[in-house]
Amino acid sequence: MAIEYLQLSEVSILPELDFTEKDGSDPLEIHKFYYNDLQRYQENNLSTVRLVKIEDKIVGYFTVSMNAIELDKLGKDEKVKDTTPKKYPAMLIGRMGIDKKHRRKGIGSEICQFCRGLAIEIGQKVACRYVMLHTTDDKNKIQFYNKSGFIKSGNPPKKGVVSMFVRIV
């Protein structure tokens, strides 16, 4: 499976995709964001949007932006000795959605790997120690991200949302 990651500007018309859960809900507003906010976030440099293309078909998207992760969300062994920052630099996977028809094919795992590589590349120019994301407090989703190397933050979920991170350096 050859995956291409396109910049939003490379696509003139976004295809109709369905990012809702099996029950039709949209707990992290992945579907809503695609249809209502994607262009605005890209145009205002709030997130970089990448579209996921497989075999000439766009099947999903994800957004990335710079962020910081608070020390209290990390494990004690993550603290850098003899430093004072309360936050460490991180790249945020803000939104990630795969169309319902294309789930469970390894696409999400590939995106996570791509984002880790991107963070390493960014980290050579601008400090970046982690990749972080937020997901629902659903054991299947947490397990999925665990398989990609992410671990839950030390803080309890807020409104059913869990923060997760992976260290890249």
Side-chain angles (χ1 to χ4, degrees):
M1 165 177 58
I3 297 178
E4 287 182 69
Y5 301 104
L6 306 175
Q7 297 285 346
L8 183 60
S9 60
E10 296 177 66
V11 177
S12 55
I13 299 172
L14 290 174
E16 293 287 321
L17 299 173
D18 184 356
F19 301 109
T20 59
E21 298 296 320
K22 288 178 189 172
D23 65 1
S25 67
D26 190 17
L28 294 173
E29 298 187 338
I30 303 299
H31 188 83
K32 179 182 172 190
F33 184 86
Y34 179 79
Y35 286 99
N36 299 329
D37 300 318
L38 199 71
Q39 300 278 356
R40 188 172 42 257
Y41 271 62
Q42 178 76 35
E43 290 166 1
N44 289 290
N45 210 27
L46 299 173
S47 290
T48 297
V49 177
R50 299 268 170 102
L51 301 170
V52 181
K53 183 178 174 184
I54 298 175
E55 299 173 2
D56 295 327
K57 223 179 204 179
I58 294 172
V59 299
Y61 79 97
F62 64 96
T63 67
V64 292
S65 60
M66 294 310 298
N67 207 315
I69 189 166
E70 296 167 3
L71 267 167
D72 67 346
K73 290 185 178 182
L74 301 170
K76 291 180 178 122
D77 57 332
E78 292 291 328
K79 186 171 178 9
V80 178
K81 292 180 182 176
D82 301 323
T83 62
T84 58
K86 293 184 180 8
K87 296 180 181 182
Y88 289 157
M91 184 180 82
L92 173 69
I93 302 174
R95 301 271 202 288
M96 180 169 69
I98 307 299
D99 181 72
K100 275 184 178 175
K101 293 177 276 190
H102 299 279
R103 292 180 185 159
R104 301 209 171 288
K105 296 179 181 176
I107 300 167
S109 297
E110 291 288 332
I111 292 170
C112 288
Q113 285 303 109
F114 176 82
C115 288
R116 287 176 78 166
L118 183 60
I120 289 168
E121 186 180 322
I122 289 168
Q124 294 171 356
K125 297 175 183 167
V126 177
C128 185
R129 187 173 172 84
Y130 297 94
V131 176
M132 62 185 290
L133 57 85
H134 307 291
T135 190
T136 58
D137 192 15
D138 171 292
K139 70 176 184 169
N140 292 325
K141 292 196 187 229
I142 292 169
Q143 199 171 42
F144 163 77
Y145 288 114
N146 282 154
K147 286 179 185 174
S148 291
F150 288 82
I151 58 174
K152 284 173 59 171
S153 86
N155 291 357
K158 289 183 183 176
K159 297 181 183 177
V161 176
V162 173
S163 295
M164 299 186 78
F165 67 92
V166 62
R167 191 162 106 191
I168 59 166
V169 294

